[in-house]
Amino acid sequence: MIVALAGGVGGAKLSDGLYRTLLPTQQGGGETGLAHGRELAVVVNVADDFTLYGLRISPDVDTVLYTLAGIANPATGWGIGGDTFATLEMLRRYGEDTWFLLGDRDFATHLLRSERLRQGWTPTAVTHALAEALGVRAALLPMCDEPVATVVLTPDGELAFQEYFVRRRQADEVRGVRFEGISEARVTPEVRQAIAEAEAIIFCPSNPIVSIGPILAVPGMREALAASRAPKIAVSPIVGGRALKGPADRMLVGLGHEASPVAVAALYRGLLDGMVIDQQDASLAGLVEGLGMRVLVTDTIMEDDAGRARLARAVLAFAGTSRS
């Protein structure tokens, strides 16, 4: 079992690379140094979930779901490729401010999720059924089944995450982040089992504050990860002082950190055996190693499917030489 912690487009891309790398292999051994043919479990952030038009929307789960199913919009990394927007167009005619872009086929996911949640299904059960219907053979696991909401503190006060991220286009300075409801959240049995069976645990190049941060904040999650003897490897989402996508660099600075792989490594300190950083940040390898972890310097930019697979192979090979 390979376990990935993911959120956002960067997390979905590396999860897809891992999925495509592991899926075809059927026999043990191989270039990664880890057993081939093992299952992949992706533990996904759900703290940016919210309700809109009476529907429960799970952006990070759906981004990973659509990506692994091969139907994600290649231009954006989120949403469904070739989707239409007739429903939103009609909502606009009714005078709605359609600030959150939802395609017609995307609406079907939210309709079914919401209906099943009303019927008493857990988010884990709903996600499993959606993934199975789309032919995804990896286990997609919400970080918890309890509702958790990321709240961002800005100079204008607190904002719900999607208000900050989508409606206001990440323009606000971030002075703090909290996860509403996190104290009531619990590590699900499915997540706990995946971690216990893991051969390697990969922290995807996702925002460490609002994508990986909520996962690690679930009570009992850090303890479960620390107890695992599997090598734990993180891929930095910061390259050359900037986030490849999203506001991770600005968030880090706003919260008093520098925008660098060193700051990301410091946030994960005590959990990791290794850190993967981009060639542009090779000069920082010694500082990361000073935090008590090994470092792999490689090309971490995933421009296309080949780039995802290349990085996945490199990360798995590095994990194979970094056992706790």
Side-chain angles (χ1 to χ4, degrees):
M1 174 76 73
I2 305 301
V3 173
L5 310 185
V9 173
K13 285 183 175 181
L14 183 55
S15 295
D16 187 56
L18 293 167
Y19 182 55
R20 306 298 167 188
T21 299
L22 295 167
L23 185 64
T25 57
Q26 300 297 328
Q27 299 179 1
E31 61 179 315
T32 66
L34 296 169
H36 278 184
R38 305 295 287 180
E39 296 178 354
L40 172 68
V42 186
V43 180
V44 189
N45 169 47
V46 294
D48 60 356
D49 290 14
F50 72 119
T51 300
L52 185 67
Y53 308 124
L55 303 178
R56 192 63 178 168
I57 300 172
S58 191
D60 279 1
V61 168
D62 292 341
T63 297
V64 176
L65 172 66
Y66 298 155
T67 301
L68 268 58
I71 63 173
N73 185 336
T76 62
W78 48 264
I80 297 175
D83 212 347
T84 55
F85 298 90
T87 304
L88 277 191
E89 290 168 6
M90 194 64 187
L91 284 168
R92 289 191 194 103
R93 289 190 64 182
Y94 286 129
E96 286 295 307
D97 177 8
T98 54
W99 58 274
F100 196 86
L101 197 61
L102 295 171
D104 296 324
R105 283 185 284 174
D106 199 19
F107 261 110
T109 302
H110 311 317
L111 283 165
L112 190 56
R113 172 185 291 116
S114 302
E115 177 62 19
R116 289 178 171 174
L117 289 174
R118 283 191 289 268
Q119 291 172 355
W121 292 41
T122 65
T124 296
V126 172
T127 303
H128 173 77
L130 294 173
E132 189 173 56
L134 292 182
V136 175
R137 292 167 58 184
L140 268 59
L141 304 175
M143 69 186 200
C144 62
D145 282 331
E146 296 78 15
V148 176
T150 296
V151 179
V152 178
L153 176 62
T154 75
D156 289 337
E158 290 192 329
L159 298 174
F161 181 73
Q162 297 301 339
E163 181 80 12
Y164 155 79
F165 188 74
V166 178
R167 192 166 198 164
R168 296 168 69 112
R169 302 177 184 236
Q170 311 146 42
D172 299 87
E173 177 189 353
V174 176
R175 295 181 175 176
V177 172
R178 66 181 179 87
F179 307 122
E180 194 172 90
I182 196 69
S183 62
E184 286 76 43
R186 297 293 180 266
V187 180
T188 66
E190 294 83 359
V191 169
R192 195 173 294 279
Q193 181 178 356
I195 292 172
E197 295 178 359
E199 282 188 276
I201 299 171
I202 311 301
F203 292 51
C204 289
S206 304
N207 188 315
I209 306 295
V210 294
S211 292
I212 304 297
I215 298 174
L216 299 180
V218 175
M221 186 71 75
R222 280 182 171 267
E223 292 78 4
L225 291 168
S228 170
R229 294 179 59 85
K232 290 169 276 290
I233 307 296
V235 181
S236 175
I238 304 296
V239 175
R242 299 185 63 183
L244 295 177
K245 193 172 181 65
D249 48 357
R250 285 166 283 146
M251 278 192 162
L252 284 165
V253 172
L255 295 175
H257 310 284
E258 63 179 14
S260 79
V262 182
V264 177
L267 290 172
Y268 297 153
R269 189 175 188 178
L271 285 175
L272 295 183
D273 299 293
M275 183 88 175
V276 180
I277 66 175
D278 192 78
Q279 296 163 343
Q280 297 180 44
D281 296 308
S283 63
L284 301 176
L287 293 175
V288 177
E289 289 172 340
L291 295 173
M293 58 194 75
R294 300 176 65 224
V295 176
L296 171 67
V297 179
T298 189
D299 179 3
T300 64
I301 299 176
M302 297 174 282
E303 296 282 5
D304 50 24
D305 290 347
R308 298 178 190 186
R310 170 190 44 75
L311 181 57
R313 289 193 298 269
V315 170
L316 290 173
F318 185 48
T321 63
S322 304
R323 295 187 178 277
S324 299

